[in-house]
Amino acid sequence: MSPRALTPLAPAATDPTLIRNFCIIAHIDHGKSTLADRMLQITGVVSDRDMRAQYLDRMDIERERGITIKSQAVRMPWALPVEGAKPQTFALNMIDTPGHVDFTYEVSRSLAACEGAILLVDAAQGIEAQTLANLYLALENDLTIIPVLNKIDLPAADPDKYSRELAQLIGGDPADVLRVSGKTGEGVEALLDRVVELIPAPVGDPKAPARAMIFDSVYDAYRGVVTYVRMIDGSLSPRERIQMMSTRATHELLEIGVSSPEPVPSKGLGVGEVGYLITGVKDVRQSKVGDTVTNAQKPAASALPGYTDPKPMVFSGLYPIDGSDYPVLREALDKLKLSDAALNYEPETSVALGFGFRCGFLGLLHLEIVTERLEREFGLDLISTAPSVTYEVTTDDKKHFTVTNPSEFPTGAKIASVSEPMVKAAILAPKDYVGTIMELCQSRRGSLIGMDYLGEDRVEIKYTIPLGEIVFDFFDQLKSKTAGYASLDYEPTGDQEADLVKVDILLQGEAVDAFSAIVHREKAYAYGVLMTERLKKLIPRQQFEVPIQAAIGARIIARESISAMRKDVLAKCYGGDITRKRKLLEKQKEGKKRMKMVGRVEVPQEAFIAALSGDVEKAKEKK
């Protein structure tokens, strides 16, 4: 704890000129959470005894994976010395943001609640793709940017080189780039001073009707919905009635306060302050992120602009393995939606998997994290279907369909055109890997936009690639082909027509909707062969022969057969005429034919999970 960290501020409303709202933005694993830890220690809001690594990362998954998923707001006191007078104490409201491309929506909401941002860059790795993406987001919000190099204590750090790169990027002097170490605490006090000096104080009308922007909310089992707000105009006090401007719902304000970093109740929030509200509401739909909170007696005339709703990029079906868990899954998704505003879902049914939900995610990591949270926090066992994207299909009779699931693809109609979503991908990597990156992008139907050299040995390559080609294993392939040096960021650019077809997987002539996929015509045969071979290994043998076929419409493009289990009917024939043996085999064949007509192929749950995830060997062991 620094001697300049005074006792934490009395949480009553503070003079707006003494408030600084800022967030930390960076690429994943550049040390945001570690720097936030040092700030909490130096300002004294967390004692050395209570300190733990990644203090603001509250979820087990965040701590295990070492990534930030949820933004966290915290208030810290910081005294700035004044010549010949008593030091002035400022209230610093800091928001620690995620760094992965899938959680950009969390970052954008945090930026809207701030006046400034610390742009953090690893002094050993330099600028990465997500650094640029987050920087552009901050500039769009007209935030004051403070460039900072972190991890200067590493042996591989090259602060001079990356200071020049960072200064060139944002237009400034390399000497203005601060150098800190989140691990040792070196330079962090100077950074806090710079935050107070450079970031402007919040602006608002304290006498106007109260307006507060909801930038986040979480569900607490005991206290109901906890809503995090940034005050824009006016003030809010405990026990007054408030109104949500989009739903017109009114509630009594049971508790209001600030996070420091644990909740501290206060006498109210004034202009520019960041804090939390508790109304005792249990219905998660009552507290919508982006909504405006106002006083019910003297409501504001107009709501704040809010946020643009995030557009789901990847769709996947989530089904409970035990069908009776469906209501539990619905309730779990409702609660998760509160703390993750980017999650979209709607009910759907599958012939093979029963009742479930079609969920929209911002990317594959988002899908993985949501599934893991549902399993851990709500004790659910789930199957997730193969990820897909949204397609726009037009038939010859001019009908339009939006397809998020291959089972919605129109059948029996002539398809005039199919459009798929495209993204602009920015890949940053050392120049030695340009050839392998271009080869990978070409194989995924990408078209080159351009290349920019950011320094002597780092290059940014921009491609337009179909989103469907990115959502599976593109990032894994990119990392393995560039020895882990490349970083990827992408943003949607609209739809483009393509030669896409629906490949159905048939078991004994019946289509199994869970295995259907929409793929490019050139890759349809490869997908058909892969799935038929995979299912042959996974489905147990039946009493009759089971054909597994891949088809485009009525045309079969691949086939495998699972041979029938047979009783040895010739065991009792130890001699005699061949016709006797033939007669017994024909009799058996007739029986198998009758059995095939009435028999249904049972696909075990493990086979569904393995076929959709590609984990064939594990399922074979179980079988």
Side-chain angles (χ1 to χ4, degrees), residues 21 23 95 105-116 137-138 141 143 213-215 230-232 274 304 306-307:
N21 297 322
C23 60
I95 303 177
Y105 184 59
E106 287 279 327
V107 180
S108 68
R109 299 203 319 262
S110 306
L111 293 172
C114 297
E115 279 79 34
L137 271 177
N141 282 274
L143 300 192
M213 166 81 83
I214 300 176
F215 69 87
R230 151 78 200 264
M231 291 299 301
I232 306 295
V274 173
L304 295 160
Y307 311 105

Side-chain angles (χ1 to χ4, degrees), residues 2 4 29 68 71 96 157 177 200 228 236 246 284 289 334 384 413 421 429 432 488 494 572 587 592 594 597 611 622:
S2 166
R4 285 167 53 195
D29 202 28
T68 302
S71 299
D96 179 25
V177 178
Y228 291 95
L236 289 173
S246 71
V284 293
V289 167
D334 270 352
S384 57
D432 305 347
L488 169 74
K572 59 186 176 185
K587 193 176 172 187
K592 294 285 180 198
R594 265 200 314 275
M597 286 164 69
K622 278 189 187 175

Side-chain angles (χ1 to χ4, degrees), residues 246-368:
S246 71
T247 59
R248 297 284 167 202
T250 62
H251 313 287
E252 187 183 358
L253 206 47
L254 302 179
E255 185 177 309
I256 187 167
V258 297
S259 302
S260 189
E262 304 308 323
V264 180
S266 74
K267 294 176 183 172
L269 293 177
V271 170
E273 288 197 273
V274 173
Y276 68 88
L277 314 174
I278 295 175
T279 56
V281 171
K282 297 283 185 189
D283 182 1
V284 293
R285 288 176 289 273
Q286 296 278 355
S287 188
K288 194 174 159 215
V289 167
D291 199 356
T292 304
V293 179
T294 188
N295 185 297
Q297 270 75 41
K298 294 187 290 177
S302 61
L304 295 160
Y307 311 105
T308 53
D309 281 335
K311 196 178 170 192
M313 308 278 269
V314 175
F315 290 87
S316 176
L318 291 181
Y319 295 86
I321 287 176
D322 181 353
S324 61
D325 281 342
Y326 177 74
V328 183
L329 177 59
R330 184 176 54 213
E331 198 178 317
L333 283 167
D334 270 352
K335 286 178 181 169
L336 210 56
K337 169 78 177 168
L338 185 73
S339 63
D340 186 352
L343 175 66
N344 285 318
Y345 57 93
E346 56 186 44
E348 78 164 0
T349 53
S350 158
V351 177
L353 301 172
F355 289 99
F357 288 90
R358 189 82 187 153
C359 303
F361 305 93
L362 298 183
L364 276 192
L365 179 70
H366 190 206
L367 184 159
E368 204 180 312

Side-chain angles (χ1 to χ4, degrees), residues 65 100-102 363-365 368 387 427 433 436-437 440-441 443-444 469-490 613-614:
R65 292 180 176 231
H100 195 278
V101 60
D102 282 12
L364 276 192
L365 179 70
E368 204 180 312
I427 300 165
Y433 297 106
T436 51
I437 291 169
L440 174 66
C441 293
S443 71
R444 299 302 177 100
E469 296 284 349
I470 280 187
V471 297
F472 285 97
D473 61 346
F474 181 81
F475 190 59
D476 294 345
Q477 290 284 322
L478 180 68
K479 283 287 183 191
S480 62
K481 286 178 186 292
T482 60
Y485 282 115
S487 59
L488 169 74
D489 178 55
Y490 58 85
S613 66

Side-chain angles (χ1 to χ4, degrees), residues 448-468:
L448 183 67
I449 300 171
M451 284 167 59
D452 292 314
Y453 279 84
L454 295 178
E456 298 155 20
D457 57 350
R458 291 168 70 75
V459 63
E460 182 186 26
I461 308 169
K462 288 183 179 165
Y463 264 91
T464 306
I465 303 180
L467 179 61

